[in-house]
Amino acid sequence: MSLRIEVIKDKVLSDNYFILRNITYDLSRNGAESVRHKREVYDRGNGATILLYNREKKTVVLTRQFRVATWVNGNTDGRLIEACAGLLDADEPEVCARKEAMEETGFQVGEVEKVFELYMSPGGVTEIVYFYLAEYSDAQRENAGGGVEDEDIEVLEMPFSQALEMMRKGEIRDGKTVILLQQLQLRNVMG
């Protein structure tokens, strides 16, 4: 199938923290008559996420922090349990994942495995998230973690089985974290 896209209007609505654009375009498929679409597109940059796991202890390291968007959408206290993550800014994805692991959990990880890269909300957000897994050991802990500057991050080391149960019960509701926990489960590295 061939697509033809003609941009009619591309207007920046907000350039406050990230960029919100209003785009009007005509889309035609296989030479058919074009259909006009009007969409808002949110560009917040790309990100990376990493799940730390310890094969011997059968544990994972997650974080809990306040996320205003979840609070606005019904998450009573606004706190979310997540794998480490952050925006790439000027970093390469793996560099970002390692940096976020250190800042948020205090672990200096060694070898990392790239799982994949995914669009997480392609209907209106440009972001691609790069997914990683990394084994950790207690010897790799360099500090208590907790984030930087205005972050208030609680570090949670828990049995992998508990994380899976929390996911099943809806206590872990972050998409990237659910994906990484399921990837770890599929790989059967925790025995």
Side-chain angles (χ1 to χ4, degrees), residues 1-40:
M1 175 186 335
S2 66
L3 292 177
R4 190 176 60 79
I5 304 159
E6 181 182 350
V7 175
I8 307 302
K9 177 180 82 170
D10 185 348
K11 179 181 178 183
V12 173
L13 300 177
S14 175
D15 189 2
N16 186 26
Y17 190 61
F18 300 120
I19 299 171
L20 177 62
R21 298 161 62 186
N22 181 283
I23 299 175
T24 303
Y25 60 96
D26 288 342
L27 178 65
S28 63
R29 294 178 296 206
N30 295 327
E33 188 175 321
S34 65
V35 177
R36 181 148 298 172
H37 297 266
K38 295 179 183 184
R39 300 289 187 267
E40 288 182 356

Short mmCIF file of all heavy atoms in Angstrom, two decimals, residues 1-40:
data_model
loop_
_atom_site.label_atom_id
_atom_site.label_comp_id
_atom_site.label_asym_id
_atom_site.label_seq_id
_atom_site.Cartn_x
_atom_site.Cartn_y
_atom_site.Cartn_z
N MET A 1 0.86 -1.18 0.00
CA MET A 1 0.00 0.00 0.00
C MET A 1 0.90 1.23 0.00
O MET A 1 1.81 1.34 0.80
CB MET A 1 -0.88 0.00 1.26
CG MET A 1 -1.69 1.25 1.36
SD MET A 1 -2.70 1.55 2.83
CE MET A 1 -3.05 0.04 3.55
N SER A 2 0.62 2.14 -0.90
CA SER A 2 1.38 3.39 -0.93
C SER A 2 0.54 4.50 -0.31
O SER A 2 -0.67 4.56 -0.48
CB SER A 2 1.77 3.75 -2.36
OG SER A 2 0.63 4.05 -3.12
N LEU A 3 1.22 5.35 0.44
CA LEU A 3 0.56 6.49 1.09
C LEU A 3 1.12 7.77 0.51
O LEU A 3 2.31 7.87 0.20
CB LEU A 3 0.83 6.49 2.60
CG LEU A 3 0.21 5.39 3.43
CD1 LEU A 3 0.66 5.52 4.88
CD2 LEU A 3 -1.29 5.42 3.35
N ARG A 4 0.26 8.76 0.38
CA ARG A 4 0.70 10.10 0.01
C ARG A 4 0.21 11.03 1.11
O ARG A 4 -0.97 11.03 1.46
CB ARG A 4 0.12 10.52 -1.34
CG ARG A 4 0.75 11.82 -1.86
CD ARG A 4 0.25 12.19 -3.25
NE ARG A 4 -1.19 12.38 -3.31
CZ ARG A 4 -1.82 13.49 -2.90
NH1 ARG A 4 -1.13 14.50 -2.41
NH2 ARG A 4 -3.13 13.58 -3.00
N ILE A 5 1.14 11.78 1.68
CA ILE A 5 0.81 12.69 2.78
C ILE A 5 1.17 14.10 2.34
O ILE A 5 2.29 14.37 1.91
CB ILE A 5 1.61 12.33 4.04
CG1 ILE A 5 1.36 10.87 4.42
CG2 ILE A 5 1.27 13.26 5.20
CD1 ILE A 5 2.41 10.27 5.29
N GLU A 6 0.20 14.99 2.47
CA GLU A 6 0.44 16.40 2.15
C GLU A 6 0.10 17.22 3.40
O GLU A 6 -1.04 17.24 3.85
CB GLU A 6 -0.43 16.86 0.99
CG GLU A 6 -0.19 18.31 0.63
CD GLU A 6 -1.10 18.79 -0.49
OE1 GLU A 6 -1.79 17.96 -1.12
OE2 GLU A 6 -1.12 20.01 -0.73
N VAL A 7 1.12 17.88 3.95
CA VAL A 7 0.91 18.70 5.14
C VAL A 7 0.28 20.02 4.72
O VAL A 7 0.79 20.73 3.86
CB VAL A 7 2.24 18.95 5.89
CG1 VAL A 7 2.03 19.90 7.06
CG2 VAL A 7 2.84 17.63 6.35
N ILE A 8 -0.85 20.34 5.35
CA ILE A 8 -1.58 21.57 5.07
C ILE A 8 -1.18 22.65 6.08
O ILE A 8 -0.97 23.80 5.72
CB ILE A 8 -3.11 21.33 5.14
CG1 ILE A 8 -3.53 20.18 4.24
CG2 ILE A 8 -3.88 22.61 4.85
CD1 ILE A 8 -3.17 20.33 2.77
N LYS A 9 -1.07 22.24 7.35
CA LYS A 9 -0.71 23.20 8.41
C LYS A 9 0.07 22.45 9.47
O LYS A 9 -0.25 21.32 9.82
CB LYS A 9 -1.98 23.80 9.02
CG LYS A 9 -1.71 24.77 10.18
CD LYS A 9 -2.99 25.34 10.76
CE LYS A 9 -3.58 24.34 11.73
NZ LYS A 9 -4.67 24.84 12.54
N ASP A 10 1.11 23.10 10.01
CA ASP A 10 1.89 22.55 11.12
C ASP A 10 2.18 23.71 12.05
O ASP A 10 3.09 24.51 11.81
CB ASP A 10 3.19 21.93 10.58
CG ASP A 10 3.99 21.24 11.67
OD1 ASP A 10 3.69 21.40 12.87
OD2 ASP A 10 4.95 20.52 11.30
N LYS A 11 1.36 23.83 13.10
CA LYS A 11 1.45 24.98 14.00
C LYS A 11 1.86 24.52 15.40
O LYS A 11 1.28 23.60 15.96
CB LYS A 11 0.08 25.67 14.08
CG LYS A 11 0.04 26.86 15.01
CD LYS A 11 -1.33 27.48 15.05
CE LYS A 11 -1.32 28.65 16.03
NZ LYS A 11 -2.64 29.24 16.17
N VAL A 12 2.87 25.19 15.97
CA VAL A 12 3.29 24.91 17.34
C VAL A 12 2.30 25.59 18.29
O VAL A 12 2.12 26.80 18.25
CB VAL A 12 4.73 25.41 17.59
CG1 VAL A 12 5.10 25.25 19.06
CG2 VAL A 12 5.72 24.66 16.70
N LEU A 13 1.65 24.77 19.11
CA LEU A 13 0.69 25.29 20.09
C LEU A 13 1.37 25.62 21.41
O LEU A 13 0.94 26.53 22.11
CB LEU A 13 -0.42 24.27 20.34
CG LEU A 13 -1.27 23.87 19.13
CD1 LEU A 13 -2.27 22.79 19.52
CD2 LEU A 13 -1.98 25.09 18.56
N SER A 14 2.39 24.84 21.75
CA SER A 14 3.11 25.07 23.00
C SER A 14 4.54 24.58 22.85
O SER A 14 4.79 23.52 22.30
CB SER A 14 2.43 24.31 24.16
OG SER A 14 3.19 24.45 25.34
N ASP A 15 5.46 25.38 23.35
CA ASP A 15 6.87 25.02 23.38
C ASP A 15 7.39 25.35 24.77
O ASP A 15 8.42 25.96 24.94
CB ASP A 15 7.64 25.79 22.30
CG ASP A 15 9.07 25.29 22.14
OD1 ASP A 15 9.45 24.33 22.83
OD2 ASP A 15 9.80 25.88 21.33
N ASN A 16 6.60 24.97 25.77
CA ASN A 16 6.90 25.29 27.16
C ASN A 16 7.96 24.34 27.72
O ASN A 16 9.06 24.75 28.02
CB ASN A 16 5.62 25.26 27.99
CG ASN A 16 5.82 25.72 29.40
OD1 ASN A 16 6.73 26.48 29.68
ND2 ASN A 16 4.99 25.24 30.30
N TYR A 17 7.61 23.08 27.87
CA TYR A 17 8.55 22.09 28.38
C TYR A 17 8.87 21.10 27.28
O TYR A 17 10.00 20.75 27.04
CB TYR A 17 7.93 21.39 29.60
CG TYR A 17 8.87 20.52 30.36
CD1 TYR A 17 10.01 21.03 30.96
CD2 TYR A 17 8.62 19.17 30.48
CE1 TYR A 17 10.89 20.22 31.65
CE2 TYR A 17 9.47 18.34 31.19
CZ TYR A 17 10.60 18.87 31.77
OH TYR A 17 11.46 18.07 32.45
N PHE A 18 7.82 20.64 26.59
CA PHE A 18 7.93 19.83 25.38
C PHE A 18 7.18 20.57 24.29
O PHE A 18 6.66 21.64 24.53
CB PHE A 18 7.34 18.43 25.62
CG PHE A 18 8.03 17.68 26.73
CD1 PHE A 18 7.32 17.25 27.83
CD2 PHE A 18 9.39 17.39 26.67
CE1 PHE A 18 7.95 16.56 28.85
CE2 PHE A 18 10.02 16.71 27.68
CZ PHE A 18 9.30 16.29 28.77
N ILE A 19 7.07 19.97 23.11
CA ILE A 19 6.44 20.66 21.99
C ILE A 19 5.10 20.00 21.65
O ILE A 19 5.05 18.79 21.42
CB ILE A 19 7.36 20.67 20.75
CG1 ILE A 19 8.67 21.41 21.08
CG2 ILE A 19 6.66 21.32 19.56
CD1 ILE A 19 9.72 21.29 20.01
N LEU A 20 4.05 20.82 21.63
CA LEU A 20 2.74 20.36 21.21
C LEU A 20 2.42 21.06 19.90
O LEU A 20 2.43 22.29 19.83
CB LEU A 20 1.67 20.70 22.27
CG LEU A 20 0.24 20.32 21.92
CD1 LEU A 20 0.10 18.81 21.72
CD2 LEU A 20 -0.71 20.82 23.00
N ARG A 21 2.14 20.26 18.86
CA ARG A 21 1.88 20.81 17.53
C ARG A 21 0.49 20.41 17.07
O ARG A 21 0.01 19.33 17.37
CB ARG A 21 2.91 20.27 16.55
CG ARG A 21 4.31 20.69 16.91
CD ARG A 21 5.37 19.84 16.27
NE ARG A 21 5.34 19.90 14.82
CZ ARG A 21 6.10 19.14 14.06
NH1 ARG A 21 6.93 18.28 14.59
NH2 ARG A 21 6.04 19.25 12.75
N ASN A 22 -0.13 21.28 16.30
CA ASN A 22 -1.38 20.99 15.63
C ASN A 22 -1.05 20.81 14.16
O ASN A 22 -0.55 21.73 13.51
CB ASN A 22 -2.39 22.13 15.83
CG ASN A 22 -3.70 21.85 15.17
OD1 ASN A 22 -3.81 21.97 13.96
ND2 ASN A 22 -4.68 21.48 15.96
N ILE A 23 -1.33 19.61 13.66
CA ILE A 23 -0.97 19.30 12.27
C ILE A 23 -2.25 18.95 11.50
O ILE A 23 -3.04 18.12 11.94
CB ILE A 23 0.03 18.13 12.20
CG1 ILE A 23 1.32 18.50 12.94
CG2 ILE A 23 0.32 17.77 10.74
CD1 ILE A 23 2.32 17.38 13.03
N THR A 24 -2.42 19.61 10.37
CA THR A 24 -3.50 19.27 9.44
C THR A 24 -2.83 18.72 8.19
O THR A 24 -1.89 19.31 7.66
CB THR A 24 -4.33 20.51 9.08
OG1 THR A 24 -4.86 21.09 10.28
CG2 THR A 24 -5.47 20.16 8.14
N TYR A 25 -3.30 17.54 7.76
CA TYR A 25 -2.70 16.92 6.58
C TYR A 25 -3.75 16.15 5.80
O TYR A 25 -4.77 15.73 6.34
CB TYR A 25 -1.54 15.98 6.99
CG TYR A 25 -1.97 14.85 7.91
CD1 TYR A 25 -2.26 13.59 7.40
CD2 TYR A 25 -2.07 15.05 9.27
CE1 TYR A 25 -2.65 12.56 8.24
CE2 TYR A 25 -2.45 14.02 10.12
CZ TYR A 25 -2.75 12.78 9.60
OH TYR A 25 -3.15 11.75 10.43
N ASP A 26 -3.48 15.99 4.53
CA ASP A 26 -4.31 15.15 3.67
C ASP A 26 -3.58 13.84 3.47
O ASP A 26 -2.37 13.82 3.18
CB ASP A 26 -4.54 15.83 2.31
CG ASP A 26 -5.48 17.02 2.41
OD1 ASP A 26 -6.21 17.13 3.41
OD2 ASP A 26 -5.47 17.86 1.48
N LEU A 27 -4.31 12.74 3.61
CA LEU A 27 -3.75 11.40 3.48
C LEU A 27 -4.53 10.64 2.41
O LEU A 27 -5.76 10.58 2.46
CB LEU A 27 -3.86 10.66 4.81
CG LEU A 27 -3.36 9.22 4.86
CD1 LEU A 27 -1.86 9.18 4.63
CD2 LEU A 27 -3.71 8.60 6.20
N SER A 28 -3.81 10.11 1.43
CA SER A 28 -4.47 9.27 0.43
C SER A 28 -3.72 7.95 0.33
O SER A 28 -2.50 7.91 0.46
CB SER A 28 -4.54 9.96 -0.92
OG SER A 28 -3.24 10.19 -1.43
N ARG A 29 -4.49 6.89 0.12
CA ARG A 29 -3.92 5.55 0.01
C ARG A 29 -4.17 5.01 -1.38
O ARG A 29 -5.28 5.12 -1.91
CB ARG A 29 -4.57 4.60 1.02
CG ARG A 29 -4.27 4.96 2.46
CD ARG A 29 -4.96 4.02 3.36
NE ARG A 29 -6.41 4.21 3.18
CZ ARG A 29 -7.32 3.95 4.10
NH1 ARG A 29 -6.96 3.45 5.24
NH2 ARG A 29 -8.59 4.16 3.88
N ASN A 30 -3.13 4.43 -1.94
CA ASN A 30 -3.22 3.77 -3.25
C ASN A 30 -3.89 4.65 -4.30
O ASN A 30 -4.73 4.19 -5.07
CB ASN A 30 -3.95 2.44 -3.13
CG ASN A 30 -3.19 1.45 -2.29
OD1 ASN A 30 -1.96 1.46 -2.30
ND2 ASN A 30 -3.89 0.62 -1.56
N GLY A 31 -3.57 5.93 -4.31
CA GLY A 31 -4.10 6.84 -5.31
C GLY A 31 -5.56 7.21 -5.12
O GLY A 31 -6.14 7.88 -5.96
N ALA A 32 -6.18 6.77 -4.03
CA ALA A 32 -7.58 7.10 -3.77
C ALA A 32 -7.70 8.57 -3.35
O ALA A 32 -6.71 9.26 -3.11
CB ALA A 32 -8.15 6.20 -2.68
N GLU A 33 -8.94 9.01 -3.27
CA GLU A 33 -9.21 10.39 -2.84
C GLU A 33 -8.61 10.61 -1.45
O GLU A 33 -8.67 9.75 -0.58
CB GLU A 33 -10.72 10.61 -2.81
CG GLU A 33 -11.11 12.06 -2.56
CD GLU A 33 -12.61 12.25 -2.67
OE1 GLU A 33 -13.22 11.62 -3.57
OE2 GLU A 33 -13.15 13.01 -1.87
N SER A 34 -8.05 11.79 -1.25
CA SER A 34 -7.42 12.08 0.04
C SER A 34 -8.48 12.45 1.08
O SER A 34 -9.56 12.94 0.77
CB SER A 34 -6.40 13.20 -0.10
OG SER A 34 -7.02 14.40 -0.46
N VAL A 35 -8.11 12.18 2.33
CA VAL A 35 -8.96 12.50 3.48
C VAL A 35 -8.17 13.45 4.36
O VAL A 35 -6.99 13.21 4.66
CB VAL A 35 -9.34 11.23 4.27
CG1 VAL A 35 -10.16 11.57 5.49
CG2 VAL A 35 -10.09 10.25 3.36
N ARG A 36 -8.80 14.53 4.79
CA ARG A 36 -8.14 15.52 5.64
C ARG A 36 -8.21 15.07 7.10
O ARG A 36 -9.25 14.66 7.60
CB ARG A 36 -8.79 16.89 5.48
CG ARG A 36 -8.10 17.94 6.35
CD ARG A 36 -8.12 19.31 5.76
NE ARG A 36 -7.39 19.36 4.51
CZ ARG A 36 -7.38 20.42 3.71
NH1 ARG A 36 -8.05 21.50 4.02
NH2 ARG A 36 -6.72 20.41 2.58
N HIS A 37 -7.06 15.19 7.78
CA HIS A 37 -6.95 14.85 9.21
C HIS A 37 -6.41 16.06 9.96
O HIS A 37 -5.53 16.76 9.44
CB HIS A 37 -5.99 13.68 9.42
CG HIS A 37 -6.43 12.41 8.78
ND1 HIS A 37 -7.14 11.46 9.44
CD2 HIS A 37 -6.23 11.93 7.52
CE1 HIS A 37 -7.38 10.44 8.63
NE2 HIS A 37 -6.85 10.70 7.45
N LYS A 38 -6.91 16.27 11.17
CA LYS A 38 -6.37 17.30 12.08
C LYS A 38 -6.00 16.59 13.37
O LYS A 38 -6.85 15.94 13.99
CB LYS A 38 -7.40 18.39 12.34
CG LYS A 38 -7.78 19.19 11.12
CD LYS A 38 -8.82 20.24 11.45
CE LYS A 38 -9.21 20.96 10.16
NZ LYS A 38 -10.15 22.05 10.41
N ARG A 39 -4.74 16.71 13.75
CA ARG A 39 -4.26 16.02 14.94
C ARG A 39 -3.33 16.92 15.74
O ARG A 39 -2.64 17.76 15.19
CB ARG A 39 -3.46 14.75 14.57
CG ARG A 39 -4.23 13.71 13.79
CD ARG A 39 -5.27 13.01 14.65
NE ARG A 39 -5.90 11.91 13.94
CZ ARG A 39 -7.02 12.00 13.24
NH1 ARG A 39 -7.63 13.16 13.11
NH2 ARG A 39 -7.53 10.94 12.65
N GLU A 40 -3.32 16.68 17.05
CA GLU A 40 -2.31 17.29 17.91
C GLU A 40 -1.26 16.22 18.17
O GLU A 40 -1.59 15.07 18.46
CB GLU A 40 -2.93 17.80 19.20
CG GLU A 40 -3.79 19.03 18.96
CD GLU A 40 -4.38 19.61 20.23
OE1 GLU A 40 -4.21 19.03 21.32
OE2 GLU A 40 -5.02 20.67 20.12
#
